[in-house]
Amino acid sequence: MGELLLNTPKRKQLLKDGRPVSTRCQILGRGAYGTVFKAIYRDRSVAVKIIRAQATSTLHNESHLMNLQHRNIVRLLKLESAVEFGLVIMECPRGQCLQRIVDTLALPLMHRVLITLDVVAALRYCHSQNVLHLDVKPTNILVALGIKSSGVGNFSKVKRSYICKLCDFGSSIEMGELCARQDPTNANGTLRYMSPEVLRSDILSEASDIYSLGITMWQLQARRLPYHPLDCNETIAYQVVKHELRPDNYHQLKILALDCPGDSNWNDVMYRGANSSARRNLSLDPSYTAGRGDLKKKCRRNRLALHFDSNGPAPEASACLESAYSNLYKSCWVSAPESRLSSFQLKHELELILSPQK
């Protein structure tokens, strides 16, 4: 119930007419160029993104996922296009996007590190295949729940019941491919996570993805929308490029918020109270029901907490380890791409943080 059956006639109809009329179809998420629905394809549960054909670049970018097969990347099963619409059919693991988890739980440092290591592994693989993702953020990281998984690398004794998968390659490019971004505020990707070189339309590299991951790491710790006091994307882009504004510079953000009358009230600083239109819900939890009641929130929090306390509560991180984590994301978002940590260096430093918590 609530799932599209993607047989051949139905796919042809979707390619012609776009999103289904039925209100019973379960929507997993909405983006600028299309909507994601829960569906059945070849007797398996999948997610299908229906994209308007005018967004030809998005369909082209999604095709980069076709040859990528990695445990930390959502698998693309089929891509079809027609005159009016295109279909992107992907695996649909049981779980939630990282954004919803951050909205619900304060993640212990150990899990923030494990999540980041999963994303680093996905990016390292993408980069080895000459693909840049260019839209790394919590809404594009799916946390598949209920999967018994060991830690990474030398940390096989660290047990957990989830694995993270990078998704949404609608902004991806092949390395060396021209990426015209005449107006950064209308570009593919998400401005609050874009590196200075992306905003300037410069030549891009692996470092551009590392920058976005650094912003994401900060968000996992702070649980706030990047640059949360500001609504004006033009202001954010200018300040990031010209004055090296970063989301942890609360003093500068407060001054800018006071100078920009259209921006958010500084007192509205908690992430869950920030501009909700600036984030998308790509929850892949079929049991999730939207609701604001305290009981529903508590139940959802308790259900999620089970996956992040599978072996009892994670050990509390020391101030020293939290500081090390902060220093890492700051090393990822320096302005000069060549001065940022490489994915190999980031992986190594994250593993050092994890070592005392084994």
Side-chain angles (χ1 to χ4, degrees):
M1 182 178 293
E3 297 178 348
L4 290 171
L5 181 61
L6 296 179
N7 52 30
T8 300
K10 187 61 178 179
R11 295 202 312 275
K12 287 182 178 179
Q13 180 184 346
L14 293 173
L15 287 168
K16 178 182 178 182
D17 300 329
R19 59 176 295 170
V21 176
S22 172
T23 56
R24 299 176 61 189
C25 296
Q26 184 178 350
I27 296 177
L28 298 177
R30 289 186 176 91
Y33 299 103
T35 305
V36 183
F37 293 90
K38 191 171 180 62
I40 297 293
Y41 176 67
R42 294 183 176 177
D43 298 323
R44 66 181 292 182
S45 181
V46 299
V48 57
K49 183 188 294 186
I50 303 174
I51 301 175
R52 295 188 297 274
Q54 296 94 319
T56 52
S57 62
T58 299
L59 279 171
H60 168 73
N61 297 341
E62 291 281 4
S63 70
H64 294 142
L65 186 55
M66 186 65 72
N67 297 319
L68 300 182
Q69 296 188 25
H70 191 275
R71 68 193 295 265
N72 296 119
I73 297 176
V74 167
R75 185 182 174 194
L76 176 63
L77 303 176
K78 190 176 183 64
L79 191 150
E80 292 184 282
S81 61
V83 175
E84 297 296 333
F85 293 92
L87 301 180
V88 182
I89 303 174
M90 305 160 284
E91 69 168 318
C92 183
R94 174 186 170 272
Q96 297 191 5
C97 74
L98 182 57
Q99 180 65 72
R100 186 167 298 281
I101 291 174
V102 173
D103 283 345
T104 307
L105 294 175
L107 292 171
L109 177 63
M110 182 183 78
H111 289 291
R112 280 181 269 139
V113 170
L114 289 171
I115 288 167
T116 306
L117 282 168
D118 275 358
V119 181
V120 169
L123 290 176
R124 283 171 61 84
Y125 176 75
C126 288
H127 298 163
S128 73
Q129 303 300 307
N130 294 318
V131 173
L132 302 180
H133 186 276
L134 298 183
D135 199 15
V136 178
K137 58 180 180 178
T139 49
N140 288 341
I141 299 168
L142 302 180
V143 183
L145 301 172
I147 297 176
K148 296 297 181 181
S149 178
S150 298
V152 292
N154 298 325
F155 302 94
S156 58
K157 293 182 180 180
V158 179
K159 303 297 182 181
R160 52 178 171 152
S161 61
Y162 63 88
I163 184 173
C164 299
K165 294 175 177 284
L166 187 63
C167 69
D168 197 340
F169 280 67
S171 298
S172 67
I173 64 171
E174 292 184 352
M175 291 187 193
E177 184 178 355
L178 291 177
C179 186
R181 284 182 161 91
Q182 300 301 324
D183 181 0
T185 61
N186 292 324
N188 289 345
T190 308
L191 187 140
R192 292 170 188 262
Y193 300 84
M194 288 180 182
S195 65
E197 65 270 19
V198 173
L199 294 170
R200 291 193 303 262
S201 302
D202 286 350
I203 296 174
L204 309 183
S205 67
E206 298 97 324
S208 302
D209 281 336
I210 294 298
Y211 179 98
S212 301
L213 180 55
I215 302 291
T216 298
M217 290 173 64
W218 170 87
Q219 191 173 343
L220 295 184
Q221 183 185 67
R223 300 182 67 205
R224 300 173 181 175
L225 182 72
Y227 314 106
H228 50 273
L230 303 177
D231 288 335
C232 180
N233 280 339
E234 289 85 354
T235 298
I236 294 171
Y238 179 82
Q239 293 294 330
V240 166
V241 173
K242 296 296 184 180
H243 301 292
E244 299 189 350
L245 177 68
R246 298 297 182 265
D248 66 333
N249 193 333
Y250 300 113
H251 177 70
Q252 189 176 358
L253 284 168
K254 183 176 182 178
I255 294 173
L256 289 170
L258 293 173
D259 288 342
C260 300
D263 285 339
S264 302
N265 189 309
W266 172 252
N267 293 323
D268 185 19
V269 296
M270 289 308 296
Y271 180 79
R272 66 196 69 188
N275 182 10
S276 60
S277 66
R279 60 180 188 266
R280 290 180 296 163
N281 167 23
L282 291 181
S283 170
L284 294 190
D285 182 2
S287 65
Y288 174 76
T289 303
R292 296 185 179 181
D294 291 339
L295 181 60
K296 289 184 178 181
K297 287 183 179 180
K298 183 177 180 180
C299 289
R300 185 164 71 249
R301 187 184 306 112
N302 291 342
R303 189 166 62 245
L304 275 176
L306 292 175
H307 296 283
F308 296 93
D309 293 332
S310 55
N311 290 326
E316 185 175 349
S318 67
C320 180
L321 290 177
E322 284 288 357
S323 178
Y325 179 85
S326 300
N327 289 336
L328 275 186
Y329 62 65
K330 291 177 183 179
S331 297
C332 292
W333 69 29
V334 296
S335 290
E338 64 275 9
S339 298
R340 294 174 202 151
L341 289 180
S342 68
S343 58
F344 177 81
Q345 291 171 322
L346 180 56
K347 175 178 180 290
H348 175 71
E349 295 297 328
L350 286 166
E351 290 176 345
L352 289 179
I353 292 177
L354 196 61
S355 296
Q357 303 193 61
K358 287 191 293 179

Tab-separated table of all heavy atoms in Angstrom, residues 150-187:
chain	number	residue	atom	x	y	z
A	150	SER	N	30.261	-4.017	11.365
A	150	SER	CA	31.440	-3.758	12.175
A	150	SER	C	32.003	-2.403	11.821
A	150	SER	O	31.606	-1.775	10.836
A	150	SER	CB	32.498	-4.838	11.933
A	150	SER	OG	32.016	-6.102	12.309
A	151	GLY	N	32.926	-1.956	12.630
A	151	GLY	CA	33.602	-0.701	12.333
A	151	GLY	C	34.445	-0.830	11.083
A	151	GLY	O	34.534	-1.881	10.465
A	152	VAL	N	35.085	0.237	10.706
A	152	VAL	CA	35.850	0.273	9.471
A	152	VAL	C	37.330	0.055	9.750
A	152	VAL	O	37.814	0.255	10.856
A	152	VAL	CB	35.649	1.624	8.750
A	152	VAL	CG1	34.241	1.744	8.250
A	152	VAL	CG2	35.975	2.768	9.698
A	153	GLY	N	38.024	-0.392	8.726
A	153	GLY	CA	39.482	-0.512	8.830
A	153	GLY	C	39.912	-1.377	9.998
A	153	GLY	O	39.521	-2.545	10.129
A	154	ASN	N	40.730	-0.804	10.871
A	154	ASN	CA	41.258	-1.525	12.015
A	154	ASN	C	40.298	-1.548	13.202
A	154	ASN	O	40.664	-1.981	14.286
A	154	ASN	CB	42.583	-0.877	12.466
A	154	ASN	CG	43.638	-0.947	11.386
A	154	ASN	OD1	43.712	-1.911	10.640
A	154	ASN	ND2	44.448	0.100	11.286
A	155	PHE	N	39.050	-1.112	12.982
A	155	PHE	CA	38.122	-0.977	14.089
A	155	PHE	C	36.948	-1.938	13.941
A	155	PHE	O	35.799	-1.588	14.146
A	155	PHE	CB	37.638	0.475	14.195
A	155	PHE	CG	38.776	1.427	14.374
A	155	PHE	CD1	39.345	2.061	13.282
A	155	PHE	CD2	39.311	1.650	15.620
A	155	PHE	CE1	40.414	2.925	13.441
A	155	PHE	CE2	40.389	2.507	15.786
A	155	PHE	CZ	40.937	3.146	14.701
A	156	SER	N	37.266	-3.180	13.575
A	156	SER	CA	36.227	-4.178	13.361
A	156	SER	C	35.509	-4.549	14.652
A	156	SER	O	34.425	-5.123	14.627
A	156	SER	CB	36.827	-5.433	12.720
A	156	SER	OG	37.849	-5.961	13.547
A	157	LYS	N	36.097	-4.237	15.806
A	157	LYS	CA	35.463	-4.572	17.081
A	157	LYS	C	34.399	-3.555	17.488
A	157	LYS	O	33.655	-3.784	18.425
A	157	LYS	CB	36.527	-4.666	18.178
A	157	LYS	CG	37.489	-5.833	17.985
A	157	LYS	CD	38.496	-5.911	19.138
A	157	LYS	CE	39.454	-7.087	18.938
A	157	LYS	NZ	40.440	-7.170	20.044
A	158	VAL	N	34.353	-2.446	16.794
A	158	VAL	CA	33.320	-1.437	17.076
A	158	VAL	C	32.045	-1.873	16.371
A	158	VAL	O	31.964	-1.849	15.148
A	158	VAL	CB	33.760	-0.043	16.598
A	158	VAL	CG1	32.667	0.976	16.871
A	158	VAL	CG2	35.059	0.359	17.270
A	159	LYS	N	31.052	-2.287	17.131
A	159	LYS	CA	29.815	-2.810	16.552
A	159	LYS	C	28.770	-1.701	16.447
A	159	LYS	O	28.706	-0.801	17.274
A	159	LYS	CB	29.266	-3.946	17.417
A	159	LYS	CG	30.241	-5.099	17.625
A	159	LYS	CD	30.589	-5.796	16.326
A	159	LYS	CE	31.536	-6.971	16.575
A	159	LYS	NZ	31.914	-7.651	15.308
A	160	ARG	N	27.931	-1.812	15.438
A	160	ARG	CA	26.831	-0.879	15.262
A	160	ARG	C	25.752	-1.558	14.430
A	160	ARG	O	26.016	-2.589	13.794
A	160	ARG	CB	27.305	0.401	14.577
A	160	ARG	CG	28.080	0.171	13.284
A	160	ARG	CD	28.468	1.476	12.639
A	160	ARG	NE	29.389	1.275	11.526
A	160	ARG	CZ	29.483	2.084	10.490
A	160	ARG	NH1	28.713	3.152	10.434
A	160	ARG	NH2	30.332	1.860	9.528
A	161	SER	N	24.576	-0.959	14.400
A	161	SER	CA	23.454	-1.572	13.676
A	161	SER	C	22.961	-0.654	12.563
A	161	SER	O	21.763	-0.532	12.333
A	161	SER	CB	22.310	-1.888	14.644
A	161	SER	OG	21.832	-0.704	15.259
A	162	TYR	N	23.882	0.000	11.880
A	162	TYR	CA	23.515	0.876	10.766
A	162	TYR	C	24.706	1.031	9.839
A	162	TYR	O	25.849	0.733	10.202
A	162	TYR	CB	23.078	2.256	11.261
A	162	TYR	CG	24.172	3.026	11.973
A	162	TYR	CD1	25.062	3.848	11.267
A	162	TYR	CD2	24.338	2.925	13.353
A	162	TYR	CE1	26.070	4.534	11.913
A	162	TYR	CE2	25.345	3.615	14.006
A	162	TYR	CZ	26.209	4.415	13.288
A	162	TYR	OH	27.213	5.095	13.932
A	163	ILE	N	24.428	1.490	8.648
A	163	ILE	CA	25.480	1.840	7.696
A	163	ILE	C	24.994	3.047	6.910
A	163	ILE	O	23.800	3.175	6.627
A	163	ILE	CB	25.811	0.661	6.748
A	163	ILE	CG1	26.988	1.024	5.829
A	163	ILE	CG2	24.602	0.254	5.932
A	163	ILE	CD1	27.473	-0.140	4.989
A	164	CYS	N	25.887	3.963	6.594
A	164	CYS	CA	25.511	5.202	5.890
A	164	CYS	C	25.811	5.082	4.403
A	164	CYS	O	26.841	4.523	4.007
A	164	CYS	CB	26.258	6.392	6.477
A	164	CYS	SG	25.891	6.673	8.215
A	165	LYS	N	24.890	5.628	3.602
A	165	LYS	CA	25.021	5.562	2.145
A	165	LYS	C	24.832	6.956	1.553
A	165	LYS	O	23.839	7.626	1.833
A	165	LYS	CB	23.983	4.600	1.553
A	165	LYS	CG	24.194	3.135	1.948
A	165	LYS	CD	23.056	2.268	1.434
A	165	LYS	CE	23.280	0.802	1.740
A	165	LYS	NZ	24.276	0.180	0.847
A	166	LEU	N	25.767	7.358	0.728
A	166	LEU	CA	25.684	8.640	0.033
A	166	LEU	C	24.711	8.509	-1.134
A	166	LEU	O	24.733	7.510	-1.864
A	166	LEU	CB	27.074	9.039	-0.473
A	166	LEU	CG	27.257	10.423	-1.090
A	166	LEU	CD1	26.978	11.514	-0.064
A	166	LEU	CD2	28.678	10.562	-1.635
A	167	CYS	N	23.837	9.506	-1.304
A	167	CYS	CA	22.852	9.438	-2.386
A	167	CYS	C	22.729	10.793	-3.070
A	167	CYS	O	23.442	11.737	-2.753
A	167	CYS	CB	21.491	8.992	-1.843
A	167	CYS	SG	20.684	10.213	-0.793
A	168	ASP	N	21.809	10.883	-4.016
A	168	ASP	CA	21.490	12.094	-4.783
A	168	ASP	C	22.710	12.645	-5.511
A	168	ASP	O	23.398	13.551	-5.039
A	168	ASP	CB	20.874	13.171	-3.893
A	168	ASP	CG	20.159	14.240	-4.717
A	168	ASP	OD1	20.464	14.356	-5.923
A	168	ASP	OD2	19.320	14.964	-4.172
A	169	PHE	N	22.948	12.099	-6.698
A	169	PHE	CA	24.071	12.520	-7.529
A	169	PHE	C	23.638	13.523	-8.595
A	169	PHE	O	24.291	13.677	-9.623
A	169	PHE	CB	24.726	11.296	-8.177
A	169	PHE	CG	25.664	10.566	-7.248
A	169	PHE	CD1	25.181	9.897	-6.129
A	169	PHE	CD2	27.032	10.571	-7.469
A	169	PHE	CE1	26.025	9.232	-5.260
A	169	PHE	CE2	27.900	9.915	-6.600
A	169	PHE	CZ	27.393	9.240	-5.501
A	170	GLY	N	22.541	14.228	-8.328
A	170	GLY	CA	22.017	15.184	-9.299
A	170	GLY	C	22.901	16.388	-9.549
A	170	GLY	O	22.713	17.113	-10.523
A	171	SER	N	23.879	16.626	-8.670
A	171	SER	CA	24.814	17.737	-8.864
A	171	SER	C	26.211	17.259	-9.228
A	171	SER	O	27.132	18.068	-9.370
A	171	SER	CB	24.893	18.579	-7.580
A	171	SER	OG	23.650	19.151	-7.277
A	172	SER	N	26.391	15.954	-9.364
A	172	SER	CA	27.732	15.398	-9.582
A	172	SER	C	28.267	15.732	-10.975
A	172	SER	O	27.508	15.998	-11.910
A	172	SER	CB	27.699	13.883	-9.393
A	172	SER	OG	26.924	13.252	-10.405
A	173	ILE	N	29.575	15.729	-11.079
A	173	ILE	CA	30.247	15.921	-12.374
A	173	ILE	C	31.440	14.975	-12.444
A	173	ILE	O	31.913	14.464	-11.429
A	173	ILE	CB	30.741	17.373	-12.577
A	173	ILE	CG1	31.822	17.723	-11.541
A	173	ILE	CG2	29.596	18.357	-12.534
A	173	ILE	CD1	32.517	19.050	-11.809
A	174	GLU	N	31.892	14.724	-13.649
A	174	GLU	CA	33.139	14.002	-13.824
A	174	GLU	C	34.286	14.991	-13.698
A	174	GLU	O	34.168	16.146	-14.108
A	174	GLU	CB	33.175	13.309	-15.190
A	174	GLU	CG	32.174	12.168	-15.321
A	174	GLU	CD	32.298	11.451	-16.647
A	174	GLU	OE1	33.063	11.949	-17.516
A	174	GLU	OE2	31.637	10.420	-16.823
A	175	MET	N	35.367	14.548	-13.111
A	175	MET	CA	36.512	15.441	-12.939
A	175	MET	C	36.974	15.948	-14.300
A	175	MET	O	37.102	15.185	-15.257
A	175	MET	CB	37.664	14.701	-12.251
A	175	MET	CG	37.369	14.363	-10.810
A	175	MET	SD	38.813	13.675	-9.986
A	175	MET	CE	38.053	13.037	-8.486
A	176	GLY	N	37.177	17.249	-14.372
A	176	GLY	CA	37.583	17.859	-15.628
A	176	GLY	C	36.410	18.339	-16.455
A	176	GLY	O	36.592	19.099	-17.411
A	177	GLU	N	35.193	17.895	-16.086
A	177	GLU	CA	33.995	18.338	-16.805
A	177	GLU	C	33.708	19.789	-16.456
A	177	GLU	O	33.796	20.196	-15.298
A	177	GLU	CB	32.817	17.453	-16.396
A	177	GLU	CG	31.521	17.741	-17.132
A	177	GLU	CD	30.415	16.791	-16.695
A	177	GLU	OE1	30.692	15.866	-15.908
A	177	GLU	OE2	29.269	16.989	-17.139
A	178	LEU	N	33.352	20.579	-17.449
A	178	LEU	CA	33.026	21.971	-17.200
A	178	LEU	C	31.743	22.047	-16.390
A	178	LEU	O	30.774	21.352	-16.671
A	178	LEU	CB	32.866	22.731	-18.527
A	178	LEU	CG	34.151	22.927	-19.341
A	178	LEU	CD1	33.825	23.634	-20.649
A	178	LEU	CD2	35.189	23.704	-18.554
A	179	CYS	N	31.762	22.893	-15.391
A	179	CYS	CA	30.590	23.040	-14.521
A	179	CYS	C	30.206	24.508	-14.488
A	179	CYS	O	30.709	25.273	-13.673
A	179	CYS	CB	30.908	22.528	-13.119
A	179	CYS	SG	29.508	22.502	-12.004
A	180	ALA	N	29.370	24.922	-15.424
A	180	ALA	CA	29.000	26.331	-15.532
A	180	ALA	C	28.071	26.716	-14.397
A	180	ALA	O	27.003	26.153	-14.229
A	180	ALA	CB	28.321	26.586	-16.879
A	181	ARG	N	28.485	27.679	-13.603
A	181	ARG	CA	27.659	28.167	-12.503
A	181	ARG	C	27.689	29.695	-12.555
A	181	ARG	O	28.375	30.348	-11.787
A	181	ARG	CB	28.189	27.661	-11.168
A	181	ARG	CG	27.853	26.189	-10.903
A	181	ARG	CD	28.367	25.786	-9.538
A	181	ARG	NE	27.710	24.584	-9.052
A	181	ARG	CZ	28.158	23.364	-9.249
A	181	ARG	NH1	29.261	23.180	-9.930
A	181	ARG	NH2	27.517	22.316	-8.774
A	182	GLN	N	26.969	30.246	-13.498
A	182	GLN	CA	26.984	31.684	-13.663
A	182	GLN	C	26.389	32.407	-12.452
A	182	GLN	O	26.820	33.483	-12.088
A	182	GLN	CB	26.198	32.064	-14.933
A	182	GLN	CG	26.771	31.452	-16.212
A	182	GLN	CD	28.202	31.866	-16.461
A	182	GLN	OE1	28.577	33.002	-16.176
A	182	GLN	NE2	29.006	30.963	-16.990
A	183	ASP	N	25.366	31.791	-11.848
A	183	ASP	CA	24.731	32.368	-10.668
A	183	ASP	C	24.741	31.321	-9.565
A	183	ASP	O	23.921	30.415	-9.561
A	183	ASP	CB	23.287	32.775	-10.993
A	183	ASP	CG	22.596	33.409	-9.775
A	183	ASP	OD1	23.248	33.526	-8.711
A	183	ASP	OD2	21.420	33.770	-9.889
A	184	PRO	N	25.682	31.410	-8.626
A	184	PRO	CA	25.794	30.380	-7.601
A	184	PRO	C	24.518	30.180	-6.808
A	184	PRO	O	24.254	29.096	-6.312
A	184	PRO	CB	26.923	30.910	-6.701
A	184	PRO	CG	27.716	31.834	-7.564
A	184	PRO	CD	26.720	32.452	-8.488
A	185	THR	N	23.692	31.212	-6.657
A	185	THR	CA	22.479	31.065	-5.859
A	185	THR	C	21.447	30.196	-6.571
A	185	THR	O	20.506	29.719	-5.949
A	185	THR	CB	21.854	32.438	-5.558
A	185	THR	OG1	21.498	33.070	-6.791
A	185	THR	CG2	22.834	33.325	-4.804
A	186	ASN	N	21.609	29.989	-7.887
A	186	ASN	CA	20.690	29.129	-8.633
A	186	ASN	C	21.370	27.853	-9.100
A	186	ASN	O	20.824	27.117	-9.914
A	186	ASN	CB	20.130	29.881	-9.851
A	186	ASN	CG	19.217	31.017	-9.434
A	186	ASN	OD1	18.486	30.900	-8.464
A	186	ASN	ND2	19.276	32.118	-10.165
A	187	ALA	N	22.569	27.581	-8.622
A	187	ALA	CA	23.329	26.432	-9.084
A	187	ALA	C	22.800	25.148	-8.481
A	187	ALA	O	22.100	25.137	-7.488
A	187	ALA	CB	24.802	26.606	-8.701
